[in-house]
Amino acid sequence: MGKREGFASSFGVLVAMAGSAVGLGNLWRFPYLVGTNGGAAFIIIYLACVLVLALPILYSEFIIGRRSQSNVFGAYKKLAPDSKWCNVGFIYVLCSITIISFYSVVGGWTIDYFVKAATFQFSSASADQLSGMFANTVTSTASPLVYMLVFLGITALIVLAGVKNGIEKYSKIMMPLLFILVIVIAIRSVTLENSYAGIEFLFKPDFSKITAQTFLDALGQAFFSLSVGSGSILTYASYVSRKENIVKLSAQTAISDTMFAIVAGVAIMPAVFAFGISPSEGPGLVFVTLPYIFNQLPFGSFLAVLFFFALFIAAITSSISMLEVIVAYLDEEFKLKRRTSIVLSLILIATLGVFCSLSQGIMSDVKILGNSIFDLFDKSSANIMLPLGGLIAVIFVGWRMKKAEYADEITSGGLVKFSKTTVGIFYFFIKYIAPVVIATIVIRSLF
Ligand code: PFF
């Protein structure tokens, strides 16, 4: 078993947490879900889900992780000894495996697009040509697999180097750069001719478009985007020192993640409308629109290279947090060497990833419950496993832990001062609101 690492500083924790949260979920998944779910009304429900549901889970995972200083399985074993609670750890491990399997396929696309940008392959391409290029990219057999393996390999190398020396270091540079780039693109996007329809789509809600599915998609996206319910936050929190203010860190993580999502929406939707692309284009949205915007910008080719590199980094900082869940579990529960845990995890993830990737092309006829393998992994993790993992965390903190233990963690053992009312309000959300609402949404939309 490897020696337990810890984060070096508060900023390091924030960068790692925000690195996990900000990723393809914000820049790739959020815009296309907004597009397919009718725009502003979806965003409003999404924001409500972040505030009322995802945030209490974020606190709960922080509490469980930091208090136990252990992996997803060991955490419940430590905090609820002599009970069956530890078995819930499997759900987190399963969820992380499922997400990283399709996530690394998309991560591979980002590398592919980085290479395309660096070799000027989008220059002067029309919207139709760019749509065709994306379709070609993802339906090919060999190249997406190669890129996926490269993506997984890099993820593994950083996890092997350790969170502090790998991810913390790179995130500090790349996250701010990514943010600046997305803002530049957003400004260009809103100043395009005919961009207004996109702004309206983003900010003028049409509530007639809302269905039970909208709620489930918004909930799943809120959890996916904040990385809650999969044990990533729990695992990272287990490396956080006793003196950190976890309420502040959770809020900062949620705010940076939400800002990224909204700015990504503003970067993409106006351009979608200005160029006459359909907002419900689906997973290709960001890969088609952004190259098109870059074609309209001075130094566009250079920005395209930077953007796809930054997108790749955003994806890597998230995939690492998923791999860490699995590796910490194998490492600590089976006393394996970190290297062995990583190799075993990679074999499993890469095998599943192959099916996810091929399901975009030669295996697209294979449908499970009406979905391609890729969509099945995506939807089942975001809409079922993450809510389930989140539900477990809030129920554990609200109903199994003692309120005094909860208060002790929230206040970092008395170091951080909160009024009794504030502590009580958080508790009320964790104990009653989050579990009831999550269970209602998931059960209603499933049946
Ligand atoms: N939050 C990441 C994103 O928005 O891309 C995805 C993610 C990371 C989901 C880690 C789940 C997770 F455990």
Side-chain angles (χ1 to χ4, degrees):
M1 189 177 106
K3 184 178 165 292
R4 261 194 155 261
E5 254 197 295
F7 288 112
S9 61
S10 312
F11 185 61
V13 183
L14 176 62
V15 175
M17 291 287 179
S20 169
V22 177
L24 296 171
N26 309 61
L27 298 156
W28 162 70
R29 205 171 184 276
F30 181 75
Y32 90 73
L33 279 179
V34 171
T36 48
N37 279 292
F42 176 84
I43 298 185
I44 293 173
I45 302 173
Y46 169 81
L47 292 176
C49 287
V50 168
L51 207 63
V52 180
L53 308 176
L55 207 52
I57 300 175
L58 197 62
Y59 291 142
S60 302
E61 283 199 35
F62 249 111
I63 290 170
I64 299 169
R66 197 205 18 207
R67 194 160 188 85
S68 63
Q69 302 282 306
S70 193
N71 67 86
V72 287
F73 195 89
Y76 288 93
K77 207 156 56 178
K78 264 194 192 165
L79 300 181
D82 306 320
S83 76
K84 297 219 177 340
W85 269 101
C86 61
N87 294 317
V88 302
F90 291 122
I91 294 172
Y92 296 115
V93 174
L94 183 69
C95 182
S96 298
I97 292 173
T98 311
I99 298 181
I100 196 174
S101 300
F102 77 86
Y103 203 87
S104 43
V105 174
V106 186
W109 300 347
T110 66
I111 305 181
D112 191 340
Y113 266 67
F114 167 73
V115 174
K116 284 186 167 64
T119 49
F120 306 106
Q121 291 184 41
F122 322 127
S123 306
S124 69
S126 67
D128 278 350
Q129 284 167 328
L130 288 165
S131 279
M133 184 185 284
F134 177 72
N136 261 337
T137 303
V138 303
T139 55
S140 308
T141 301
S143 69
L145 292 183
V146 173
Y147 285 120
M148 176 195 80
L149 290 177
V150 173
F151 182 85
L152 272 178
I154 298 171
T155 305
L157 283 178
I158 299 176
V159 172
L160 189 64
V163 176
K164 195 167 61 192
N165 295 332
I167 194 55
E168 204 175 320
K169 204 165 79 188
Y170 293 108
S171 302
K172 276 182 191 160
I173 310 163
M174 290 314 299
M175 298 311 287
L177 176 62
L178 179 67
F179 193 61
I180 294 168
L181 279 170
V182 179
I183 295 220
V184 170
I185 300 163
I187 293 172
R188 180 60 188 124
S189 186
V190 294
T191 50
L192 286 167
E193 223 177 300
N194 303 327
S195 66
Y196 185 68
I199 304 280
E200 217 174 48
F201 184 75
L202 279 175
F203 296 112
K204 205 164 144 202
D206 175 359
F207 290 107
S208 66
K209 298 234 169 74
I210 296 176
T211 61
Q213 187 60 37
T214 319
F215 280 93
L216 187 64
D217 280 345
L219 173 94
Q221 173 58 19
F223 289 11
F224 187 89
S225 191
L226 280 187
S227 304
V228 298
S230 66
S232 282
I233 300 291
L234 194 162
T235 306
Y236 270 12
S238 75
Y239 303 121
V240 171
S241 96
R242 286 288 293 155
K243 56 183 195 331
E244 297 291 349
N245 178 346
I246 59 177
V247 172
K248 190 165 136 197
L249 279 168
S250 305
Q252 286 171 333
T253 306
I255 291 170
S256 23
D257 187 66
T258 307
M259 262 169 36
F260 255 100
I262 300 291
V263 177
V266 174
I268 290 157
M269 276 314 156
V272 166
F273 281 84
F275 298 141
I277 296 168
S278 161
S280 54
E281 166 112 359
L285 199 60
V286 71
F287 291 95
V288 177
T289 11
L290 284 183
Y292 204 88
I293 302 180
F294 290 128
N295 282 346
Q296 326 285 319
L297 291 175
F299 310 109
S301 316
F302 175 67
L303 284 178
V305 176
L306 270 187
F307 178 80
F308 282 107
F309 182 62
L311 188 61
F312 155 74
I313 293 292
I316 281 280
T317 53
S318 300
S319 63
I320 283 160
S321 70
M322 292 178 241
L323 186 57
E324 186 63 32
V325 173
I326 311 161
V327 169
Y329 162 68
L330 293 175
D331 202 11
E332 294 174 7
E333 295 305 313
F334 297 94
K335 315 273 180 273
L336 297 180
K337 284 206 175 79
R338 196 166 172 83
R339 185 181 295 271
T340 316
S341 307
I342 292 175
V343 171
L344 289 177
S345 313
L346 277 195
I347 294 172
L348 181 61
I349 296 164
T351 310
L352 295 171
V354 167
F355 289 105
C356 288
S357 181
L358 295 183
S359 76
Q360 299 284 321
I362 55 169
M363 284 180 71
S364 60
D365 288 343
V366 179
K367 298 274 186 231
I368 303 169
L369 302 170
N371 289 295
S372 69
I373 300 173
F374 184 101
D375 286 349
L376 184 76
F377 275 44
D378 180 343
K379 286 186 191 158
S380 65
S381 56
N383 295 358
I384 299 172
M385 292 186 215
L386 291 180
L388 187 63
L391 198 56
I392 290 167
V394 281
I395 289 179
F396 187 81
V397 173
W399 297 89
R400 167 75 209 214
M401 278 174 81
K402 295 195 181 67
K403 191 170 178 189
E405 290 179 287
Y406 150 85
D408 185 54
E409 269 312 311
I410 282 279
T411 59
S412 302
L415 278 178
V416 185
K417 301 284 173 236
F418 286 113
S419 70
K420 267 210 156 105
T421 324
T422 314
V423 175
I425 291 176
F426 286 145
Y427 196 60
F428 183 72
F429 270 82
I430 291 175
K431 187 162 180 149
Y432 300 106
I433 307 282
V436 172
V437 182
I438 297 167
T440 312
I441 295 180
V442 175
I443 292 169
R444 265 212 59 152
S445 23
L446 284 181
F447 303 103

